[in-house]
Amino acid sequence: MRIEVRRTGGFAGIERRAEVDTAALADASVWHALVEAALAEAAPAEAAPVGAALVEAARSGPGGGPSRMPDGFSYEITVDGRTVRCAEPHLTGAQRELASRVLREGA
């Protein structure tokens, strides 16, 4: 399973990318469980196949007003052809953990 994370935004607006291929990892089952939780927690509007028009759910929050944190990070998580976009402060625990782990341990 290939997991790619792209983080944008923040104070400096610097983009950061990393990916992990779980095929040869000893803890692949842990990664797979984390991926399943992160994708399952995504709202339908947040998920789209790669190549489709992606919906940025973080652009508006409840009531249609802006919901992104000023200088907050936005994430694009792609796993085997499925992409989820999410942004602070609306990341779920699993999405935050997956993104952090890929950015920390990925190449």
Coordinates of all heavy atoms in Angstrom, one line a residue:
M1 N 0.8 -1.2 0.0 CA 0.0 0.0 0.0 C 0.9 1.2 0.0 O 1.8 1.3 0.8 CB -0.9 0.0 1.2 CG -1.7 1.2 1.5 SD -2.7 1.2 3.0 CE -3.8 -0.1 2.6
R2 N 0.6 2.1 -0.9 CA 1.4 3.4 -1.0 C 0.5 4.5 -0.4 O -0.6 4.7 -0.8 CB 1.7 3.7 -2.4 CG 2.4 5.1 -2.5 CD 2.9 5.4 -3.9 NE 4.2 4.9 -3.9 CZ 4.9 4.7 -5.0 NH1 4.3 4.8 -6.2 NH2 6.1 4.2 -5.0
I3 N 1.1 5.2 0.6 CA 0.4 6.3 1.3 C 1.2 7.6 1.0 O 2.4 7.7 1.3 CB 0.4 6.1 2.8 CG1 -0.2 4.7 3.1 CG2 -0.4 7.2 3.5 CD1 0.1 4.2 4.5
E4 N 0.6 8.6 0.4 CA 1.2 9.9 0.1 C 0.5 11.0 0.9 O -0.7 11.0 1.0 CB 1.1 10.2 -1.3 CG 1.8 9.1 -2.2 CD 1.5 9.4 -3.7 OE1 1.8 10.5 -4.1 OE2 1.0 8.5 -4.3
V5 N 1.3 11.9 1.5 CA 0.7 13.0 2.2 C 1.4 14.3 1.7 O 2.6 14.4 1.5 CB 1.0 12.9 3.7 CG1 0.6 14.2 4.4 CG2 0.2 11.7 4.3
R6 N 0.5 15.3 1.4 CA 1.0 16.6 1.0 C 0.4 17.6 2.0 O -0.8 17.6 2.2 CB 0.5 16.9 -0.4 CG 1.1 18.3 -0.9 CD 0.6 18.5 -2.3 NE -0.8 19.0 -2.2 CZ -1.2 20.2 -2.8 NH1 -0.4 20.8 -3.6 NH2 -2.4 20.6 -2.6
R7 N 1.3 18.4 2.6 CA 0.8 19.4 3.6 C 1.2 20.7 3.1 O 2.3 21.0 2.6 CB 1.5 19.2 4.9 CG 1.0 20.1 6.0 CD 1.8 20.0 7.3 NE 3.1 20.6 7.1 CZ 4.1 20.5 8.0 NH1 3.9 19.8 9.1 NH2 5.3 21.1 7.8
T8 N 0.2 21.6 3.1 CA 0.4 23.0 2.6 C -0.1 24.0 3.7 O -0.8 23.6 4.6 CB -0.4 23.3 1.3 OG1 -1.8 23.0 1.5 CG2 0.1 22.4 0.2
G9 N 0.2 25.2 3.5 CA -0.2 26.2 4.4 C 0.8 26.5 5.5 O 2.0 26.4 5.3
G10 N 0.3 26.9 6.7 CA 1.1 27.3 7.8 C 1.6 28.7 7.6 O 1.3 29.4 6.6
F11 N 2.3 29.2 8.6 CA 2.7 30.6 8.6 C 3.6 30.9 7.4 O 3.4 31.9 6.7 CB 3.5 30.9 9.9 CG 4.0 32.3 10.0 CD1 3.1 33.3 10.2 CD2 5.3 32.6 9.8 CE1 3.5 34.6 10.3 CE2 5.8 33.9 9.9 CZ 4.9 34.9 10.1
A12 N 4.5 30.0 7.0 CA 5.4 30.3 5.9 C 4.8 29.8 4.5 O 5.4 30.2 3.5 CB 6.8 29.6 6.1
G13 N 3.8 29.1 4.5 CA 3.2 28.6 3.3 C 4.0 27.6 2.6 O 3.9 27.4 1.4
I14 N 4.9 26.9 3.3 CA 5.8 25.9 2.6 C 5.1 24.6 2.5 O 4.4 24.0 3.4 CB 7.1 25.7 3.5 CG1 7.8 27.0 3.6 CG2 7.9 24.6 3.0 CD1 9.0 27.0 4.5
E15 N 5.2 24.0 1.3 CA 4.6 22.7 1.0 C 5.6 21.6 1.4 O 6.8 21.7 1.2 CB 4.3 22.5 -0.5 CG 3.7 21.2 -0.8 CD 3.3 21.1 -2.3 OE1 2.6 21.9 -2.8 OE2 3.8 20.1 -2.9
R16 N 5.0 20.5 2.0 CA 5.9 19.4 2.4 C 5.2 18.1 1.9 O 4.0 18.0 2.0 CB 6.0 19.4 3.9 CG 7.0 18.3 4.4 CD 7.5 18.6 5.8 NE 8.2 17.5 6.2 CZ 8.1 16.9 7.4 NH1 7.4 17.4 8.3 NH2 8.8 15.8 7.6
R17 N 5.9 17.2 1.3 CA 5.4 15.9 0.8 C 6.2 14.8 1.3 O 7.4 14.9 1.5 CB 5.5 15.9 -0.7 CG 4.6 16.8 -1.5 CD 4.8 16.7 -3.0 NE 4.0 17.6 -3.7 CZ 2.9 17.3 -4.4 NH1 2.6 16.0 -4.5 NH2 2.2 18.2 -5.0
A18 N 5.6 13.6 1.5 CA 6.3 12.4 1.8 C 5.4 11.3 1.5 O 4.2 11.4 1.3 CB 6.6 12.4 3.3
E19 N 6.0 10.1 1.3 CA 5.2 8.9 1.0 C 5.9 7.7 1.7 O 7.1 7.7 2.0 CB 5.1 8.6 -0.5 CG 6.4 8.3 -1.2 CD 6.1 8.0 -2.7 OE1 5.6 8.9 -3.3 OE2 6.4 6.9 -3.1
V20 N 5.0 6.7 2.0 CA 5.4 5.5 2.6 C 4.8 4.3 1.8 O 3.7 4.4 1.5 CB 5.0 5.4 4.1 CG1 5.2 4.0 4.7 CG2 5.6 6.5 4.9
D21 N 5.6 3.3 1.5 CA 5.1 2.1 0.9 C 5.2 1.0 2.0 O 6.3 0.7 2.5 CB 6.0 1.7 -0.3 CG 5.4 0.6 -1.1 OD1 4.5 -0.1 -0.6 OD2 5.9 0.3 -2.2
T22 N 4.1 0.5 2.3 CA 4.0 -0.4 3.5 C 4.3 -1.9 3.1 O 4.4 -2.7 3.9 CB 2.6 -0.4 4.1 OG1 1.6 -0.9 3.1 CG2 2.2 1.0 4.6
A23 N 4.6 -2.1 1.8 CA 4.8 -3.5 1.3 C 5.9 -4.2 2.1 O 5.8 -5.4 2.4 CB 5.1 -3.5 -0.2
A24 N 7.0 -3.6 2.4 CA 8.1 -4.2 3.1 C 8.3 -3.9 4.6 O 9.3 -4.2 5.2 CB 9.4 -3.9 2.4
L25 N 7.3 -3.3 5.1 CA 7.4 -2.8 6.5 C 6.9 -3.9 7.5 O 5.9 -4.6 7.2 CB 6.6 -1.6 6.8 CG 7.0 -0.3 6.0 CD1 6.1 0.8 6.3 CD2 8.4 0.0 6.3
A26 N 7.6 -4.1 8.6 CA 7.2 -5.1 9.6 C 5.9 -4.8 10.3 O 5.2 -5.7 10.6 CB 8.3 -5.2 10.6
D27 N 5.6 -3.5 10.4 CA 4.4 -3.0 11.0 C 3.3 -2.6 10.0 O 2.5 -1.8 10.3 CB 4.7 -1.9 12.0 CG 5.2 -0.7 11.4 OD1 5.7 -0.7 10.2 OD2 5.2 0.4 12.1
A28 N 3.3 -3.3 8.9 CA 2.3 -2.9 7.8 C 0.9 -3.0 8.3 O 0.1 -2.2 7.9 CB 2.5 -3.8 6.6
S29 N 0.6 -4.0 9.1 CA -0.8 -4.1 9.6 C -1.2 -2.9 10.5 O -2.4 -2.5 10.4 CB -1.0 -5.4 10.4 OG -0.2 -5.4 11.6
V30 N -0.3 -2.3 11.2 CA -0.6 -1.1 12.0 C -0.9 0.1 11.0 O -1.8 0.8 11.3 CB 0.6 -0.8 12.9 CG1 0.4 0.5 13.6 CG2 0.8 -1.9 13.9
W31 N -0.1 0.2 10.0 CA -0.3 1.3 9.0 C -1.7 1.1 8.3 O -2.4 2.0 8.2 CB 0.8 1.2 7.9 CG 2.1 1.8 8.3 CD1 3.2 1.2 8.9 CD2 2.5 3.2 8.2 NE1 4.2 2.1 9.1 CE2 3.8 3.3 8.7 CE3 1.8 4.3 7.8 CZ2 4.5 4.5 8.7 CZ3 2.5 5.6 7.8 CH2 3.8 5.7 8.3
H32 N -2.0 -0.2 8.0 CA -3.3 -0.4 7.3 C -4.5 -0.1 8.2 O -5.4 0.5 7.7 CB -3.3 -1.9 6.8 CG -2.3 -2.2 5.7 ND1 -2.3 -3.4 5.1 CD2 -1.3 -1.5 5.2 CE1 -1.3 -3.4 4.2 NE2 -0.7 -2.2 4.3
A33 N -4.4 -0.4 9.4 CA -5.5 -0.1 10.4 C -5.6 1.4 10.5 O -6.7 1.9 10.5 CB -5.2 -0.7 11.7
L34 N -4.5 2.1 10.6 CA -4.5 3.6 10.7 C -5.1 4.2 9.4 O -5.9 5.1 9.5 CB -3.1 4.1 10.9 CG -3.0 5.6 11.2 CD1 -3.9 6.1 12.3 CD2 -1.5 5.9 11.5
V35 N -4.7 3.7 8.3 CA -5.3 4.2 7.0 C -6.8 4.0 6.9 O -7.6 4.8 6.6 CB -4.6 3.5 5.8 CG1 -5.4 3.7 4.5 CG2 -3.2 4.0 5.6
E36 N -7.2 2.8 7.3 CA -8.7 2.5 7.3 C -9.5 3.4 8.2 O -10.5 3.9 7.8 CB -8.9 1.0 7.7 CG -8.5 0.0 6.7 CD -9.2 0.2 5.3 OE1 -10.4 0.4 5.3 OE2 -8.5 0.1 4.3
A37 N -8.9 3.7 9.4 CA -9.6 4.6 10.3 C -9.6 6.0 9.7 O -10.6 6.7 9.8 CB -8.9 4.6 11.6
A38 N -8.5 6.5 9.2 CA -8.4 7.8 8.6 C -9.4 8.0 7.4 O -10.1 9.1 7.3 CB -7.0 8.2 8.2
L39 N -9.5 7.0 6.6 CA -10.3 7.2 5.4 C -11.8 7.0 5.8 O -12.7 7.6 5.2 CB -10.0 6.2 4.3 CG -8.6 6.4 3.7 CD1 -8.3 5.4 2.6 CD2 -8.4 7.8 3.2
A40 N -12.1 6.1 6.8 CA -13.4 5.9 7.2 C -14.0 7.1 7.9 O -15.2 7.4 7.8 CB -13.5 4.7 8.1
E41 N -13.2 7.9 8.5 CA -13.6 9.1 9.2 C -13.8 10.3 8.3 O -14.3 11.3 8.7 CB -12.6 9.4 10.3 CG -12.6 8.4 11.5 CD -11.5 8.7 12.4 OE1 -10.6 9.6 12.2 OE2 -11.4 8.0 13.5
A42 N -13.4 10.2 7.1 CA -13.5 11.3 6.1 C -15.0 11.4 5.7 O -15.7 10.4 5.4 CB -12.7 11.0 4.9
A43 N -15.5 12.6 5.7 CA -16.8 12.9 5.2 C -16.9 12.6 3.7 O -15.9 12.8 3.0 CB -17.2 14.3 5.5
P44 N -18.0 12.2 3.2 CA -18.1 11.9 1.8 C -17.6 13.0 0.9 O -17.0 12.8 -0.2 CB -19.6 11.6 1.5 CG -20.1 11.2 2.9 CD -19.3 12.0 3.9
A45 N -17.8 14.3 1.3 CA -17.4 15.4 0.4 C -15.9 15.6 0.5 O -15.3 16.2 -0.4 CB -18.0 16.7 0.9
E46 N -15.2 14.9 1.4 CA -13.8 15.1 1.5 C -13.0 14.0 0.6 O -11.9 14.2 0.4 CB -13.3 14.8 3.0 CG -13.7 15.9 3.9 CD -13.3 15.6 5.3 OE1 -13.3 14.4 5.7 OE2 -13.0 16.5 6.0
A47 N -13.7 13.0 0.3 CA -13.0 11.9 -0.4 C -13.4 11.9 -1.9 O -14.5 12.1 -2.3 CB -13.4 10.5 0.2
A48 N -12.4 11.6 -2.8 CA -12.7 11.5 -4.2 C -11.6 10.7 -4.8 O -10.4 10.7 -4.3 CB -12.6 12.9 -4.8
P49 N -11.8 10.0 -5.9 CA -10.8 9.2 -6.6 C -9.8 10.2 -7.2 O -10.1 11.3 -7.5 CB -11.5 8.5 -7.7 CG -13.0 8.8 -7.6 CD -13.1 9.8 -6.5
V50 N -8.5 9.7 -7.3 CA -7.5 10.5 -7.9 C -7.9 10.9 -9.3 O -8.4 10.1 -10.0 CB -6.1 9.8 -7.9 CG1 -5.1 10.5 -8.7 CG2 -5.7 9.5 -6.5
G51 N -7.7 12.1 -9.7 CA -8.0 12.6 -11.0 C -9.4 13.2 -11.1 O -9.7 13.9 -12.0
A52 N -10.2 13.0 -10.1 CA -11.6 13.6 -10.1 C -11.4 15.0 -9.4 O -10.4 15.3 -8.8 CB -12.5 12.8 -9.2
A53 N -12.5 15.8 -9.6 CA -12.4 17.1 -9.0 C -12.5 16.9 -7.5 O -13.5 16.3 -7.0 CB -13.6 17.9 -9.5
L54 N -11.5 17.4 -6.7 CA -11.5 17.2 -5.3 C -12.2 18.3 -4.6 O -12.1 19.5 -5.0 CB -10.0 17.1 -4.8 CG -9.2 16.0 -5.3 CD1 -7.8 16.1 -4.9 CD2 -9.8 14.7 -4.8
V55 N -13.0 18.0 -3.6 CA -13.7 19.0 -2.9 C -12.9 19.4 -1.6 O -12.5 18.5 -0.9 CB -15.1 18.4 -2.4 CG1 -15.9 19.4 -1.6 CG2 -15.9 18.0 -3.7
E56 N -12.7 20.6 -1.5 CA -11.9 21.1 -0.3 C -13.0 21.4 0.8 O -13.5 22.5 0.9 CB -11.1 22.4 -0.6 CG -10.4 22.9 0.5 CD -8.9 22.5 0.5 OE1 -8.4 22.3 -0.5 OE2 -8.4 22.3 1.6
A57 N -13.2 20.4 1.6 CA -14.3 20.5 2.7 C -13.9 21.6 3.7 O -14.8 22.2 4.3 CB -14.4 19.2 3.4
A58 N -12.6 21.9 3.8 CA -12.2 22.9 4.8 C -12.5 24.4 4.4 O -12.4 25.3 5.2 CB -10.7 22.8 5.1
R59 N -13.0 24.6 3.2 CA -13.2 26.0 2.7 C -14.4 26.6 3.5 O -14.4 27.8 3.7 CB -13.5 26.0 1.2 CG -12.3 25.8 0.4 CD -12.6 26.0 -1.0 NE -11.4 25.8 -1.8 CZ -11.4 25.6 -3.1 NH1 -12.5 25.6 -3.8 NH2 -10.2 25.3 -3.7
S60 N -15.4 25.8 3.8 CA -16.5 26.4 4.6 C -16.9 25.4 5.7 O -16.9 24.2 5.5 CB -17.6 26.7 3.7 OG -18.2 25.6 3.1
G61 N -17.2 25.9 6.8 CA -17.6 25.1 7.9 C -19.1 25.1 8.1 O -19.9 25.5 7.1
P62 N -19.6 24.7 9.2 CA -21.1 24.8 9.4 C -21.6 26.2 9.2 O -21.0 27.1 9.7 CB -21.2 24.3 10.9 CG -19.9 23.5 11.2 CD -18.9 24.2 10.3
G63 N -22.7 26.3 8.5 CA -23.3 27.6 8.3 C -22.6 28.3 7.1 O -23.0 29.4 6.8
G64 N -21.7 27.7 6.4 CA -21.1 28.2 5.2 C -20.0 29.2 5.5 O -19.4 29.7 4.5
G65 N -19.6 29.5 6.7 CA -18.5 30.4 7.0 C -17.2 29.7 6.9 O -17.1 28.5 6.9
P66 N -16.1 30.5 6.9 CA -14.8 29.9 6.8 C -14.5 29.1 8.1 O -14.9 29.5 9.1 CB -13.8 31.1 6.7 CG -14.7 32.3 6.6 CD -16.1 31.9 6.8
S67 N -13.9 28.0 7.9 CA -13.6 27.1 9.0 C -12.1 26.8 9.2 O -11.7 26.2 10.1 CB -14.4 25.8 9.0 OG -13.9 25.1 7.9
R68 N -11.3 27.3 8.2 CA -9.8 27.0 8.3 C -9.2 28.0 9.4 O -9.6 29.1 9.5 CB -9.1 27.3 7.0 CG -9.4 26.2 6.0 CD -8.4 26.2 4.9 NE -7.1 26.1 5.4 CZ -6.0 26.6 4.8 NH1 -6.1 27.3 3.7 NH2 -4.8 26.5 5.3
M69 N -8.2 27.5 10.1 CA -7.5 28.3 11.0 C -6.6 29.2 10.2 O -5.9 28.7 9.3 CB -6.7 27.4 11.9 CG -7.5 26.6 12.9 SD -6.5 25.5 13.9 CE -4.9 26.3 14.2
P70 N -6.5 30.4 10.6 CA -5.4 31.3 9.9 C -4.1 30.6 10.1 O -3.8 30.2 11.2 CB -5.5 32.6 10.7 CG -6.9 32.6 11.3 CD -7.2 31.2 11.6
D71 N -3.3 30.5 9.1 CA -2.0 29.9 9.1 C -2.0 28.4 9.5 O -1.0 27.9 9.9 CB -1.0 30.7 10.0 CG -0.8 32.1 9.6 OD1 -0.7 32.3 8.4 OD2 -0.7 33.0 10.5
G72 N -3.2 27.8 9.4 CA -3.3 26.4 9.7 C -2.8 25.5 8.5 O -2.7 26.0 7.4
F73 N -2.6 24.3 8.7 CA -2.2 23.4 7.6 C -3.4 22.7 7.0 O -4.4 22.4 7.6 CB -1.3 22.3 8.2 CG 0.1 22.8 8.6 CD1 0.4 22.7 9.9 CD2 0.9 23.3 7.7 CE1 1.7 23.2 10.4 CE2 2.2 23.7 8.1 CZ 2.6 23.7 9.4
S74 N -3.3 22.5 5.7 CA -4.2 21.7 4.9 C -3.5 20.4 4.5 O -2.3 20.5 4.1 CB -4.7 22.4 3.7 OG -5.5 23.5 4.0
Y75 N -4.2 19.3 4.4 CA -3.5 18.0 4.1 C -4.3 17.4 2.9 O -5.5 17.4 2.8 CB -3.6 17.1 5.3 CG -2.8 17.6 6.5 CD1 -3.4 18.4 7.4 CD2 -1.5 17.2 6.7 CE1 -2.7 18.9 8.5 CE2 -0.8 17.7 7.8 CZ -1.4 18.5 8.7 OH -0.7 19.0 9.8
E76 N -3.5 16.7 2.1 CA -4.1 15.9 1.0 C -3.4 14.5 1.3 O -2.2 14.3 1.2 CB -3.7 16.4 -0.3 CG -4.3 15.7 -1.5 CD -4.0 16.3 -2.8 OE1 -4.6 17.4 -3.1 OE2 -3.1 15.8 -3.5
I77 N -4.3 13.5 1.6 CA -3.8 12.2 1.9 C -4.3 11.2 0.8 O -5.5 11.2 0.6 CB -4.4 11.7 3.3 CG1 -3.9 12.6 4.4 CG2 -3.9 10.2 3.5 CD1 -4.6 12.4 5.7
T78 N -3.4 10.6 0.1 CA -3.8 9.7 -1.0 C -3.3 8.3 -0.7 O -2.1 8.1 -0.4 CB -3.1 10.2 -2.3 OG1 -3.6 11.5 -2.6 CG2 -3.6 9.3 -3.5
V79 N -4.2 7.3 -0.8 CA -3.9 5.9 -0.5 C -4.6 5.1 -1.6 O -5.8 5.1 -1.8 CB -4.5 5.5 0.9 CG1 -4.2 4.0 1.1 CG2 -4.0 6.4 2.0
D80 N -3.7 4.5 -2.4 CA -4.2 3.5 -3.4 C -5.3 4.1 -4.3 O -6.4 3.5 -4.4 CB -4.6 2.2 -2.8 CG -3.4 1.4 -2.3 OD1 -2.2 1.7 -2.7 OD2 -3.6 0.5 -1.4
G81 N -5.1 5.3 -4.8 CA -6.1 5.9 -5.7 C -7.3 6.7 -5.0 O -8.1 7.2 -5.7
R82 N -7.3 6.7 -3.7 CA -8.3 7.5 -3.0 C -7.7 8.7 -2.3 O -6.7 8.5 -1.5 CB -9.1 6.6 -2.0 CG -10.2 7.3 -1.3 CD -11.0 6.4 -0.4 NE -12.0 7.2 0.3 CZ -12.6 6.8 1.4 NH1 -12.3 5.6 1.9 NH2 -13.5 7.5 1.9
T83 N -8.2 9.9 -2.5 CA -7.7 11.1 -1.9 C -8.7 11.7 -1.0 O -9.8 11.8 -1.3 CB -7.3 12.1 -3.0 OG1 -6.3 11.5 -3.8 CG2 -6.7 13.3 -2.4
V84 N -8.1 12.1 0.2 CA -8.9 12.8 1.2 C -8.2 14.2 1.4 O -7.0 14.2 1.6 CB -9.0 12.0 2.5 CG1 -9.7 12.8 3.6 CG2 -9.8 10.7 2.3
R85 N -9.0 15.2 1.4 CA -8.5 16.5 1.8 C -9.1 16.9 3.1 O -10.3 16.8 3.3 CB -8.8 17.6 0.7 CG -8.0 17.4 -0.5 CD -8.2 18.6 -1.4 NE -7.2 18.6 -2.5 CZ -7.2 19.4 -3.5 NH1 -8.0 20.4 -3.5 NH2 -6.3 19.3 -4.4
C86 N -8.3 17.5 4.0 CA -8.7 17.9 5.3 C -7.8 19.0 5.8 O -6.7 19.2 5.2 CB -8.7 16.7 6.3 SG -7.3 15.7 6.2
A87 N -8.3 19.8 6.7 CA -7.6 21.0 7.2 C -7.8 21.2 8.7 O -8.8 20.7 9.2 CB -8.0 22.2 6.4
E88 N -6.8 21.8 9.3 CA -7.0 22.1 10.7 C -8.1 23.2 10.8 O -8.2 24.0 9.9 CB -5.6 22.7 11.2 CG -4.5 21.7 11.2 CD -3.2 22.3 11.7 OE1 -3.0 23.5 11.6 OE2 -2.4 21.5 12.1
P89 N -8.9 23.1 11.8 CA -8.8 22.3 13.0 C -9.7 21.0 12.8 O -10.0 20.4 13.8 CB -9.4 23.2 14.1 CG -10.4 24.0 13.4 CD -9.8 24.2 12.0
H90 N -10.1 20.6 11.6 CA -11.1 19.6 11.4 C -10.5 18.2 11.1 O -11.3 17.3 10.7 CB -12.1 20.0 10.4 CG -12.8 21.3 10.7 ND1 -13.7 21.4 11.7 CD2 -12.6 22.5 10.2 CE1 -14.1 22.6 11.8 NE2 -13.5 23.3 10.9
L91 N -9.3 18.0 11.3 CA -8.7 16.7 11.1 C -9.2 15.8 12.2 O -9.3 16.2 13.4 CB -7.2 16.7 11.2 CG -6.4 17.0 10.0 CD1 -6.5 18.4 9.7 CD2 -5.0 16.5 10.2
T92 N -9.5 14.5 11.9 CA -9.8 13.5 12.9 C -8.5 13.1 13.6 O -7.4 13.3 13.0 CB -10.6 12.3 12.3 OG1 -9.7 11.6 11.5 CG2 -11.8 12.8 11.6
G93 N -8.6 12.4 14.6 CA -7.4 11.9 15.3 C -6.6 10.9 14.4 O -5.4 11.0 14.3
A94 N -7.3 10.1 13.7 CA -6.6 9.1 12.8 C -6.0 9.9 11.6 O -4.9 9.5 11.2 CB -7.6 8.1 12.3
Q95 N -6.7 10.9 11.1 CA -6.1 11.6 10.0 C -4.8 12.4 10.4 O -3.8 12.4 9.7 CB -7.1 12.6 9.4 CG -8.2 12.0 8.7 CD -9.4 12.9 8.4 OE1 -9.5 14.0 8.9 NE2 -10.3 12.5 7.5
R96 N -4.9 13.0 11.6 CA -3.7 13.7 12.1 C -2.6 12.8 12.4 O -1.4 13.1 12.0 CB -4.1 14.4 13.4 CG -3.0 15.3 14.0 CD -3.5 16.0 15.2 NE -4.7 16.8 15.0 CZ -4.7 18.0 14.4 NH1 -3.6 18.6 13.9 NH2 -5.9 18.7 14.3
E97 N -2.9 11.6 13.0 CA -1.8 10.7 13.3 C -1.2 10.1 12.0 O 0.0 10.0 11.9 CB -2.3 9.5 14.1 CG -1.3 8.5 14.5 CD -1.8 7.4 15.4 OE1 -2.9 7.5 15.9 OE2 -1.1 6.4 15.5
L98 N -2.0 9.8 11.0 CA -1.5 9.2 9.7 C -0.6 10.3 9.0 O 0.5 10.0 8.6 CB -2.6 8.8 8.8 CG -2.2 8.2 7.5 CD1 -1.4 7.0 7.6 CD2 -3.5 7.9 6.6
A99 N -1.1 11.5 8.9 CA -0.4 12.5 8.2 C 1.0 12.8 8.9 O 2.0 12.9 8.3 CB -1.2 13.8 8.2
S100 N 0.9 12.9 10.2 CA 2.2 13.1 11.0 C 3.2 12.0 10.8 O 4.4 12.2 10.7 CB 1.8 13.3 12.5 OG 1.1 14.4 12.7
R101 N 2.7 10.8 10.9 CA 3.6 9.6 10.8 C 4.2 9.5 9.4 O 5.4 9.3 9.3 CB 2.8 8.4 11.1 CG 3.7 7.2 11.3 CD 3.0 6.0 11.9 NE 3.9 4.9 12.0 CZ 3.6 3.7 12.3 NH1 2.3 3.4 12.5 NH2 4.5 2.7 12.3
V102 N 3.4 9.8 8.4 CA 4.0 9.7 7.0 C 5.0 10.8 6.8 O 6.1 10.6 6.3 CB 2.9 9.8 5.9 CG1 3.4 10.0 4.5 CG2 2.0 8.6 5.9
L103 N 4.7 12.0 7.3 CA 5.6 13.1 7.1 C 6.9 12.9 7.9 O 8.0 13.3 7.5 CB 5.0 14.5 7.5 CG 3.9 14.9 6.5 CD1 3.1 16.1 7.1 CD2 4.5 15.3 5.2
R104 N 6.8 12.2 9.0 CA 7.9 12.0 9.9 C 8.8 10.8 9.4 O 10.0 10.9 9.4 CB 7.4 11.7 11.3 CG 8.5 11.5 12.3 CD 8.0 11.3 13.8 NE 7.1 10.1 13.9 CZ 5.8 10.2 14.1 NH1 5.2 11.3 14.3 NH2 5.1 9.1 14.2
E105 N 8.1 9.7 8.9 CA 8.8 8.5 8.6 C 9.0 8.3 7.1 O 9.8 7.4 6.7 CB 8.1 7.3 9.2 CG 8.1 7.3 10.7 CD 7.3 6.2 11.3 OE1 7.3 5.1 10.8 OE2 6.7 6.4 12.4
G106 N 8.3 9.0 6.3 CA 8.3 8.8 4.8 C 9.5 9.4 4.2 O 10.2 10.2 4.7
A107 N 9.6 9.1 2.9 CA 10.7 9.6 2.1 C 10.2 10.7 1.2 O 9.1 10.8 0.8 CB 11.3 8.6 1.2

